[in-house]
Amino acid sequence: MQERSSFLIVANRLPVDRVGESEWRRSPGGLVTAIAPVMQRRDGAWLGWHGAADEKLEPFDYDGMHLIPIPLSALEVERYYEGFSNATLWPLYHDVVATPVYSRVLWDAYRRVNERFAQAAAEAADEGAVVWVQDYQLQLVPAMLRRLRPDLRIGFFLHIPFPPAELFCQLPWRREILEGLLGADLVGFQRPGGASNFIRLSRRLLGLPHQKNEIHVDGRVVRAQAFPISVDFGEYDNLVRRPEVIARAKEIRAELGDPDHVLLGVDRLDYTKGIGQRLKAFGELLAEGTIQPGEAVFVQIATPSRERVEEYRRLRNDIELSVGRINGEHGILGMQPVQYLHQSYTRQELAALYLAADVMVVTPLRDGMNLVAKEYIACHHDLRGALVLSEFAGAADELKHAFLVNPYDVDGLKRAMVAGMRATPHELARRMRFLRRRVSTYDVNRWAGEFLSALERPSTVQPLASAG
Ligand code: ADQ
């Protein structure tokens, strides 16, 4: 029998990607960076899918972490991951910006895969262990795990928004999802609004009483609270001070033809990110002559994402069409106003791009947090650079000194982009100082630390014995 761990992370994916046949590399992302030290300190294990369908792998150690691969069949990838997670929950939780698919076949797969994760966690956890379940793909795991192992301390964190009742109630399995989450001792959200939506829904759909942010269920108390996620500030701040990154940023500007303004978008190619809206605004600024070709270049980096889901294929076509149209109408030989790159980059190259950009354009229609906005801030110790930020990103709660916009308002978007380009260095420095103060003090280590200490702190509220 394998050794049991006193600290477990349960996530859809393991924190590693395969390179070649059997080599692994740590996947990029703040979550791993924040959690790896805790894992090493506490003899932790991480359960998740390793990324290949129809393949069973034995647990293995990597970089001080014990990794437990959970197998998924090709059909489960299609139904649980691409289907229920990304064609049902993702659009529903993001304000229905695309139409969610409601299918019993997809739901069945979601339930079955969640059960498998819960079983594996129950087997891997030591007596009284702390288990931290991540994100929308695994919302049933807390309750399933509690049934198997009532001795565990279970936390759950939702990385995407938690919708209001008006939207959530569309879900045919709304009770099951709520009950699944309520299996945790602590349910974390990006924004206070997510926590209050959850508390209100528990009352409305399940009749559960609450005191402030503590819900009474089955003689237990479940706390719902916001923990806004952040980035590894120090990592980016160090990167952009390195001579090779500074040189690369200069080179990027030169390759773009040394325009007065470099505008930048960096996103997964996802319909929630508002990429079409920002391109439309930029195209209109060129069409009406507010900016001249050559004066400004828009660089849009769009990482390939969920390419087998229909909506994502359609989005890619739409974006590529609109890039082609803007460049066709406003480009001149050797100079295209929009540079579109459908590729992934290393952190170092991303840091150089952030450093090179005068205006960072982050315009999601809805976003749990948005780490790109915070990464950009971490890259500007020079106090240069303007952040145009959607008020519908979780990050807008903390980053009030950005140029805040409603991405549905094209004129407002145009005004904010122009304001970012024309602001004085003094004004930009003033805003950037506030933004950096926030992101440097509340970084991803603090996020993980605060979640875990809240999870391990017993509630002071007496459970109502009869509730539930
Ligand atoms: P995402 O929707 O993926 O995350 P985001 O928070 O912006 O959105 O994170 C994207 C990450 O991918 C960033 O760290 C960024 O640097 C990286 N990235 C983007 N394009 C890249 C490229 N071309 N090459 C390499 N890296 C690239 C979900 C939620 C968010 C929430 C996070 C964390 O949707 O709202 O902020 O989880 O909780």
Side-chain angles (χ1 to χ4, degrees):
M1 201 178 102
Q2 70 181 60
E3 276 193 24
R4 295 181 163 212
S5 303
S6 60
F7 178 70
L8 278 186
I9 294 288
V10 184
N12 174 57
R13 280 297 310 268
L14 284 177
V16 289
D17 297 315
R18 187 144 37 188
V19 273
E21 272 292 291
S22 55
E23 288 285 301
W24 297 92
R25 183 180 48 204
R26 196 198 263 207
S27 27
L31 186 63
V32 201
T33 317
I35 288 170
V38 190
M39 302 265 290
Q40 286 150 4
R41 256 198 325 273
R42 299 202 194 185
D43 167 33
W46 187 308
L47 279 89
W49 181 44
H50 50 282
D54 293 318
E55 184 190 39
K56 251 189 144 124
L57 288 182
E58 289 304 311
F60 60 99
D61 289 335
Y62 180 87
D63 204 7
M65 299 184 282
H66 186 60
L67 306 182
I68 306 178
I70 307 288
L72 291 182
S73 71
L75 199 61
E76 284 167 345
V77 174
E78 194 185 312
R79 293 180 176 175
Y80 143 79
Y81 178 69
E82 293 162 353
F84 200 79
S85 298
N86 289 321
T88 306
L89 294 170
W90 181 268
L92 176 66
Y93 283 27
H94 287 89
D95 282 3
V96 203
V97 292
T99 308
V101 175
Y102 297 122
S103 147
R104 284 162 287 185
V105 174
L106 303 186
W107 163 250
D108 280 344
Y110 184 80
R111 215 166 22 83
R112 264 200 312 277
V113 171
N114 272 246
E115 189 71 58
R116 184 173 313 145
F117 274 81
Q119 284 283 354
E123 282 161 29
D126 207 351
E127 184 68 25
V130 170
V131 182
W132 190 2
V133 184
Q134 307 286 329
D135 226 359
Y136 63 103
Q137 303 93 347
L138 300 175
Q139 292 173 97
L140 304 178
V141 169
M144 290 171 165
L145 184 55
R146 179 166 300 282
R147 267 196 296 281
L148 296 164
R149 292 288 306 274
D151 59 297
L152 302 176
R153 193 92 190 137
I154 304 172
F156 180 92
F157 185 77
L158 185 70
H159 290 257
I160 68 175
F162 191 75
E166 293 70 28
L167 295 179
F168 187 79
C169 285
Q170 285 187 12
L171 192 65
W173 308 280
R174 57 202 188 185
R175 286 182 66 99
E176 288 88 335
I177 295 281
L178 277 185
E179 284 165 355
L181 292 170
L182 285 163
D185 296 291
L186 174 66
V187 186
F189 299 89
Q190 300 277 25
R191 307 178 96 155
S196 48
N197 288 343
F198 178 68
I199 293 169
R200 224 170 287 141
L201 273 158
S202 303
R203 181 181 197 92
R204 187 161 140 184
L205 292 182
L206 306 176
L208 298 175
H210 67 93
Q211 284 161 285
K212 291 199 179 130
N213 66 339
E214 305 199 281
I215 305 167
H216 293 269
V217 53
D218 293 338
R220 295 188 299 119
V221 172
V222 179
R223 204 177 318 156
Q225 195 178 324
F227 298 89
I229 200 169
S230 192
V231 296
D232 187 348
F233 184 90
E235 183 196 354
Y236 284 97
D237 190 47
N238 285 335
L239 265 178
V240 290
R241 293 172 199 264
R242 294 208 337 221
E244 63 273 27
V245 175
I246 297 170
R248 177 65 190 137
K250 286 211 180 87
E251 193 177 79
I252 289 170
R253 291 192 73 102
E255 284 167 358
L256 294 170
D258 272 323
D260 297 341
H261 309 285
V262 174
L263 292 88
L264 176 66
V266 174
D267 311 79
R268 267 186 318 95
L269 188 52
D270 193 294
Y271 52 79
T272 59
K273 300 290 183 185
I275 301 171
Q277 280 74 2
R278 75 182 75 134
L279 289 176
K280 183 171 170 56
F282 186 68
E284 286 191 14
L285 288 173
L286 287 166
E288 65 199 28
T290 309
I291 47 178
Q292 303 299 321
E295 182 189 352
V297 172
F298 200 116
V299 179
Q300 176 62 54
I301 311 280
T303 325
S305 181
R306 304 175 191 167
E307 292 178 294
R308 291 178 2 159
V309 180
E310 175 59 29
E311 285 283 348
Y312 288 77
R313 280 201 289 257
R314 199 170 322 140
L315 172 77
R316 182 173 175 188
N317 287 337
D318 291 349
I319 298 295
E320 293 181 355
L321 192 69
S322 92
V323 169
R325 200 167 278 160
I326 297 172
N327 283 339
E329 282 171 15
H330 306 292
I332 43 180
L333 273 179
M335 218 303 297
Q336 302 208 316
V338 180
Q339 299 280 325
Y340 167 80
L341 298 148
H342 186 238
Q343 295 161 33
S344 277
Y345 290 92
T346 61
R347 270 160 128 59
Q348 178 154 330
E349 180 71 1
L350 273 187
L353 278 158
Y354 288 140
L355 185 59
D358 303 298
V359 183
M360 184 77 216
V361 189
V362 181
T363 55
L365 306 175
R366 181 58 73 195
D367 212 335
M369 178 53 59
N370 196 289
L371 297 179
V372 166
K374 293 184 172 180
E375 288 165 4
Y376 180 72
I377 293 167
C379 287
H380 280 277
H381 65 89
D382 59 7
L383 305 183
R384 289 178 55 251
L387 173 64
V388 172
L389 177 62
S390 163
E391 56 194 64
F392 302 127
D397 283 354
E398 299 165 81
L399 306 180
K400 296 285 183 222
H401 288 84
F403 293 84
L404 291 178
V405 287
N406 167 4
Y408 291 97
D409 170 8
V410 182
D411 288 331
L413 207 46
K414 283 157 64 181
R415 277 195 300 275
M417 281 157 72
V418 171
M421 285 188 272
R422 308 263 153 92
T424 62
H426 179 263
E427 171 65 3
L428 292 177
R430 187 185 71 82
R431 289 174 180 257
M432 191 55 85
R433 234 179 249 118
F434 279 112
L435 295 170
R436 285 176 64 80
R437 205 168 294 151
R438 172 70 200 182
V439 183
S440 61
T441 50
Y442 200 106
D443 70 354
V444 74
N445 296 311
R446 178 135 171 221
W447 168 78
E450 289 192 359
F451 184 93
L452 288 171
S453 52
L455 177 57
E456 289 171 283
R457 196 169 50 237
S459 166
T460 49
V461 170
Q462 273 304 336
L464 301 177
S466 58

